[in-house]
Amino acid sequence: METFVITIDGPAGAGKTTVARALAQRINFVLLESGALYRFITWLLWKRGIEIQDFASKEELRNYLKSLLSKLEVRLTSFGTKVIFEGKELSEELRRKEVEDRVSHVSAEITVRDVVNEYLRVLVEGKKVITEGRDMGTVVFPSAKLKIFLTADLEVRAKRRFQDTKDRDFKGVLKNIHQRDVLDSQRQYAPLRKAEDAIEIDTTNHSVEEVVEQIVCLVERAMRWEEEGKP
Ligand code: DC
């Protein structure tokens, strides 16, 4: 089967995962949540008490990460991305606060990004896949058939995260999202930004259904262009 990649990028709380999941089921694609890979690496380093700086060289870090990912099983379904390591499904673990607090730092490291990107490109081969993250359209899949960039006002994004996580401290959630925005969009490598050819959708005042409907129309158009050529 020919690979067909749709990218959805945007900041935390913009609705990427919810929209991507609903869309995947609607159009029968699988879902690649790229954040899961960064969360997995962050989780493992934290569990093993290792800091990125502990590696003597970038080469050593690269080899360590590659060997780690070779033992990882990633299952893509239309409901989401399952990460299985040493026989254990890690979804809950990867949402831990210890991971949340460290993941922006780990994912800012160029060697980590290189290894993850290589892994992601192989993972999507031959699949109809929606990839969700920060740099899917800009760096990892620059020739994706359709690129979406989702945004929403900071307050609205924080409210959504607050409801999702059952965290009782709204101000804390707001602060965490804001800090992540700053870290993810100002980092040196692959900062969060819209690809030039991405279509931006502001989800602040729209329901999931409305956004999905809009993207379905764009997918249909992209598929037509794929078959008949872009006019
Ligand atoms: O989407 P998420 O919340 O699971 O992402 C977790 C972290 O991983 C987020 O703070 C930024 C980072 N990330 C990234 O740098 N690049 C991606 N393509 C996806 C996630």
Side-chain angles (χ1 to χ4, degrees), residues 43-167:
W43 173 81
L44 199 109
L45 293 178
W46 165 69
K47 274 265 160 180
R48 293 186 176 171
I50 304 172
E51 300 284 336
I52 296 269
Q53 300 84 283
D54 294 343
F55 293 88
S57 66
K58 291 204 181 293
E59 208 40 44
E60 197 182 295
L61 172 60
R62 163 175 267 278
N63 291 338
Y64 182 82
L65 294 175
K66 280 184 88 158
S67 121
L68 204 61
L69 292 186
S70 71
K71 294 182 205 124
L72 184 70
E73 189 190 338
V74 176
R75 273 191 218 151
L76 306 184
T77 75
S78 61
F79 294 96
T81 304
K82 275 197 184 148
V83 174
I84 298 148
F85 186 68
E86 294 177 339
K88 232 178 104 189
E89 222 258 273
L90 294 177
S91 305
E92 296 284 312
E93 281 292 298
L94 301 186
R95 298 262 149 215
R96 288 179 77 120
K97 191 173 181 309
E98 291 85 352
V99 175
E100 293 279 338
D101 289 346
R102 291 168 172 77
V103 64
S104 280
H105 173 67
V106 173
S107 62
E109 174 62 45
I110 181 76
T111 310
V112 174
R113 302 203 71 83
D114 281 348
V115 173
V116 168
N117 292 350
E118 262 173 45
Y119 186 87
L120 296 176
R121 290 184 187 120
V122 174
L123 199 62
V124 305
E125 271 171 24
K127 297 189 177 79
K128 290 182 169 179
V129 59
I130 301 167
T131 64
E132 177 245 291
R134 305 294 190 286
D135 60 345
M136 297 295 101
T138 47
V139 176
V140 191
F141 302 108
S143 51
K145 309 277 193 226
L146 175 66
K147 299 180 186 177
I148 305 291
F149 192 79
L150 288 188
T151 58
D153 291 350
L154 177 65
E155 284 267 333
V156 169
R157 291 192 282 121
K159 249 183 225 156
R160 289 175 185 163
R161 268 292 146 98
F162 180 63
Q163 281 159 2
D164 280 358
T165 55
K166 300 182 193 80
D167 195 325

